């Protein structure tokens, strides 16, 4: 496993860094990837390159990280909006913006899993459609269409609520 680590650690790190843009997170997840690979080395069936297998493990770890931290990102967004809102004396505006944010988040959570994931990766993580497609094992066009359809569902629901 040490030889595999020496040979592929930079590949896995680069893969993660491109996806998340955070060097510390990429390093942590790269280490976790090799730990998981060591635990599951018997399941590697050589049907793909070992680098592909390792990047798939890394991708799943990154998904898990994002799933756990999406709520934290939403809270950061809310806090950022709170700072912006504190500059404004308009209490009604503060309440309306907060309610709107909560409403969009609630509607987003009701979307099908793949669609919700595309919407979150695009809106919260600011990933390109190409990156999203690669990460989810789909095409860039699939990611673009899925995002558009999700956006239309959210818009339609917002219109119906009014």
């Amino acid at each position: 496993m040490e030889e595999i680590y020496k040979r592929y650690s930079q590949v896995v790190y680069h893969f993660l860094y491109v996806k998340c843009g955070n060097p510390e997170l990429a390093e942590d997840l790269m280490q976790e990837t090799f730990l998981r690979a060591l635990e599951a080395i018997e399941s590697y069936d050589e049907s793909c390159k070992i680098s592909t297998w390792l990047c798939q493990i890394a991708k799943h770890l990154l998904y898990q990280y994002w799933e756990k931290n999406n709520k934290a990102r939403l809270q950061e967004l809310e806090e950022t909006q709170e700072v912006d809102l504190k500059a404004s004396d308009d209490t009604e505006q503060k309440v309306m913006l907060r309610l709107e944010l909560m409403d969009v988040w609630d509607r987003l959570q009701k979307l099908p899993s793949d669609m919700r994931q595309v919407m979150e990766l695009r809106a919260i993580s600011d990933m390109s459609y190409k990156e999203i497609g690669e990460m989810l094992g789909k095409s860039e066009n699939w990611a673009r269409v899925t995002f558009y359809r999700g956006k239309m569902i959210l818009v339609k629901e917002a219109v119906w609520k009014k």
Side-chain angles (χ1 to χ4, degrees), residues 69-158:
N69 290 289
N70 268 343
K71 289 183 182 177
R73 287 182 185 197
L74 179 63
Q75 186 175 0
E76 286 175 23
L77 178 62
E78 288 176 341
E79 288 169 3
T80 302
Q81 284 191 342
E82 283 178 20
V83 170
D84 292 343
L85 292 174
K86 286 178 184 172
S88 167
D89 292 330
D90 189 357
T91 305
E92 184 179 342
Q93 183 182 9
K94 292 177 187 179
V95 171
M96 293 305 293
L97 284 173
R98 180 165 285 242
L99 288 172
E100 190 174 318
L101 179 62
M102 289 171 39
D103 183 52
V104 170
W105 180 254
D106 287 343
R107 286 186 279 128
L108 183 66
Q109 297 308 306
K110 294 175 185 171
L111 292 175
S113 179
D114 281 349
M115 190 174 286
R116 182 180 70 244
Q117 200 168 24
V118 169
M119 300 287 289
E120 289 172 349
L121 290 172
R122 182 74 176 152
I124 297 172
S125 302
D126 199 31
M127 294 178 70
S128 71
Y129 294 115
K130 183 177 182 180
E131 291 172 323
I132 294 168
E134 288 173 359
M135 181 169 283
L136 298 177
K138 306 281 186 173
S139 70
E140 177 181 353
N141 192 47
W142 174 88
R144 189 177 304 274
V145 169
T146 302
F147 181 83
Y148 176 78
R149 289 178 179 164
K151 185 171 69 171
M152 290 297 98
I153 290 170
L154 293 177
V155 167
K156 183 192 262 185
E157 288 179 4

Side-chain angles (χ1 to χ4, degrees), residues 41-54:
I41 193 71
E42 305 84 36
S43 69
Y44 175 63
D45 62 3
E46 298 182 18
S47 62
C48 62
K49 292 189 222 175
I50 196 149
S51 60
T52 303
W53 181 67
L54 290 167

